[in-house]
Amino acid sequence: MLSICLFISVCSVATAQNSFKIKGIVLDANTLQPVEGANIIGDHLFAVSSSKGEFTIEDNKKQASSFTVSHVGYSTKEFTVIPKNTQERIKIYLKETSTVLNEVKIVGTYHNKDKETPMVTQTVTKKFLNNNRENSLMQTLSKIPGISTINIGSGQSKPVIRGLGFNRVAVVQNGIKHEAQQWGNDHGLEIDQQGIENIQIIKGPASLLFGSDAIAGVVHIQPNKVPLQNSFNGEVNILGESNNDLLGISAGISARKEKWFYRTRVTYRDYGDYKVPTTKINYENYVFELHNNNLRNTAGREANASVSIGYVDNTIKTETLFSNVNAKNGFFANAHGLEVRTSKIDYDTSNRDIDLPYHNVNHFKISNNTTVNTGNHVLHFDLGFQNNKREEHSEPIPHGYMPKPPNTKERVFTKNTYSLNARDAFNINNKHNVVVGVNLEHQKNTIGGWGFLIPEYSRFTAGAFGYNQYKINKNWHILAGARYDYGVLKTSAYNDWFRSTVKNEDNTTSQVYLLRAKNKTLDFKNISASFGVSHIKNNTTYKVNLGKSFRMPLANELASDGVNYHMYRFEKGNLDLKPEVAYQLDLDINHTKKQFSLGISPFLNLFENYIYLNPTSNYFETLQIYEYTQSKVFRIGGELSASTTVIKNLELAASAEYVYSRQTSGLKKDFTLPFSPPLSGLFSASYKIKDFSVFKTPAINADYRITAAQEDIVPPEQTTDGYNVLHMSFTSKLDNFKNSAPIDVRLKLNNVFNTTYYNHTSFYRLIDVPEAGRNISVSLTIPFK
C-alpha cells in the first residue's frame, strides 16, 4: 500500500502567552516528495500543507491537542501532540484507501466502496500500469487474472475477459464507449495508454449499466483526478526496446488555478519488425524464411495527442477532452494470402519499412463529462463524438476472380459515433441509493476500397435503466436493477465494381455486377436485469450476483459477403440472427489481512444464442466459406489469487484462471468456442533492495507464467502446446537532483530464455507465428513542476 509519512516538529516558544508552533511537512513515503493539500485539523486549529508539503500551526493552548490528517485517496488517522520544552518528532503513516479508486463512479454513486458492490470488479492503479507497461494497453492489463488479449503484432491488441472478446467487451473511456472497428480479428484498440491513472474492470455481464456490447464485461478507463489548486505538474516518459528497436516518448502536463484546470499530452512511438525465436514460418504448407528472425513488415509508428479543459467548484465539475490517435502498422506479409509469394517487394531491405500490406488508423474523439451536485441529487452527463477511419492497403492483385484493382486501397471504413449518457443519483433515505439513467448512441459507418467485406450501415440504440443499492446494515448490501434497450440497424445495398459471370436458368451465361448486400432494416429490443448481494464479515467479503445481458448482432455478422484475406477465408453473414442473450451467476470471496490475501471468483454462464463464424464445406474460388450461425453455449470458470509478505522485503503472489466452454446445440454441438484460453497460472515475486548510491526504493520483480496446452478446440482451429515463460524487471527511483522529484526507472527483460511458444488467443498464432522473442526494455519517467 502506498503511504504518506508525516514528520512533525513541535517547538516550544518562550513567549508571554506560552504559545507553541507545530511545524511539519507531509511527504510521500515512497517517493519522499512533498504532498500538497493534506488537511491537518484539530480543535479550532487547521492547516493545509503547501506545495512543498510544509505547514505551521500556532497553538496558544498549553494542553494536549488532537489532530486528524487527511488527504484525498488516503485513510484518515488521528494523533495527539503534547507540548513540551523539548522538540518532538512524530511519524504518522496514512495508508491509501480503496474508497476513491474503487468508487462505482460508472453507476453514479460516489460513496459506495467496491466491497459493498456485488459485481465482480477490480481496480487497476497508476502504479500497476507504470510497473507493468507493455506495448499496448491490453497487453499491460493481461497480468490480471481473467484478462487476456488477442494480439496483432507487437503494438496492437484487443481485450478478452474470461474467454470472450470483440464486441462482447465494452471499452469505456471517460464515460463514453470506445467505438472503433472492433469486430475484426486484425483490428486493435486505438487508445493511448500513457497518462491513464486508473481503470476499473468489470468481469461478467454489465448490460445493466452499458447496454449492448457489455455482455462479457467492461474495461472502464476512468477520468483522472482533478489537479490540486494552484498546481502545475508534468512528466516525460521515454521508452526503448531491443526486440523491435522501439523508440517512444510521451509528455504530459496538468495545471490548475482556483477553479479552472487543463491537461495535455503528446505521444510518439516508432518501431521496426519484431523478432520471433524461429527462422521459418509454415503457413498452408508453404515455408517462409525469416531474415534475422524478423517477422517481416510488422513495423509501425504511432502519433497521439490530447488536450482537455475543465472547471470545478462546490456544485459542478465539468471537463471537455479532445484526443486523436493515429497509427500506421504493417501486417506480416505472408499473413495476407499466398499471392504475396510472387510479390516484388523486398521485405528484408529494412526492418523499419512499412510495406504493403499495411493499415492506417485515425481515431478522433471529443467528450464532455459534467457532474452537478444539487444537494439531494447528483446529475451526471456524458457527451461524445468519435470519428474512426481505417484504411487497409494491399497489393492490387486480381486474385483470380476480378480485374486487377486500380489502387492499393483494399478496404476503407469510416465510422462516426454520437453518444449521450445521463443519470441521476439520489438517496431516498440513508438505506436506499437510487440511480436512474438513459444511454443514447448513433453510428454511421461508410465503406470504400475495392475489397468488399461488410456493407455501409447505421445503428441507433437507446436504453433506460434504474437500480437501487439497499444498505441493510453496514455489513449487508443489496443491488438490484433493470434496463430496457431498443436498437435499429440499417444496412445499405452494395454491388461489385466489376462484372462476374453467372449461369442463367436456360444454361446461358451473363456478365453482371453481383449484389453483395441488400437494403435492410432490423430492430432489436431486450430487457436486462441484475440482482446481487454483498456481505462483509471482519476481513472477508462475500459477493453473489445474477445478471442477464444481451448484445445486438453486428453488421458483419448480419450482412458480410466477401473475402477476408487476413484470415484467408470467405465470410458470409446471416440476416436471421437474433440478439445474444446471456445469463451469468458470479461468486466472489475475498479475504484480506495485512500480510496475506486470498480471493476466488467462480462464474457460471449460459448463452441462449451465441453468434460465431462456422466453417462450411463450400468454397469460393479456392477460399473456404465461413457462415455466421448461432448455438446455445454453456461456460464455467473463474479466477483464484493469493498474495503474502513472507519477510519484510519479499512479496509473493500467485493467480490462476480457467474457462470451460461447450456448445450445447447447433452445427458444432459438443465443441468449445474459438479462441478459448487454456488453463493458466502466474507466479510473481517482488524483492525490495536497500537503497544504494542514487537508487531509492529499488526492487527486483519476477513473473513466471505457466500455461497448459489447449487441445479443446473447434475445427478447423489448431491445438497449441503448453508453455512456461519468465519475465523479470528492476524498478527504482533515481534521486540525484536537489529540489527535484526523483526519476522512475524500469529495466525489463521479457521472455528471459527466448522461449518459442504460441499464445492460443493471438491472431498470428493462426498462421504458425510464435510470440515475440527476448526483449529488453528501458523506460524513464521524469516528473517536473
Side-chain angles (χ1 to χ4, degrees), residues 593-604:
K593 284 191 174 182
K594 185 176 181 180
Q595 302 294 329
F596 176 78
S597 68
L598 177 66
I600 182 171
S601 301
F603 72 90
L604 177 67

Side-chain angles (χ1 to χ4, degrees), residues 3 147 155 189 225 297 336 364 372 422 425 427 484 521 532 551 555 561 573-574 628 639 717 755 768 779:
S3 59
I147 308 299
L189 189 64
K225 294 179 182 178
N297 204 44
H336 198 271
F364 174 72
V372 181
N427 298 332
Y484 177 78
T521 299
R551 183 181 71 86
D561 189 25
N574 182 353
Y628 282 99
E639 302 85 45
E717 195 176 38
T755 304
D768 197 41
S779 66

Side-chain angles (χ1 to χ4, degrees), residues 110 317 370-374 377-381 422-425:
Y110 285 63
K317 185 186 80 169
T370 299
T371 301
V372 181
N373 190 339
T374 65
H377 293 260
V378 177
L379 305 175
H380 194 91
F381 304 93
R423 60 184 181 269
D424 178 15

Side-chain angles (χ1 to χ4, degrees), residues 422-434:
R423 60 184 181 269
D424 178 15
F426 56 93
N427 298 332
I428 297 178
N429 51 41
N430 60 358
K431 294 286 188 179
H432 296 271
N433 300 317
V434 179

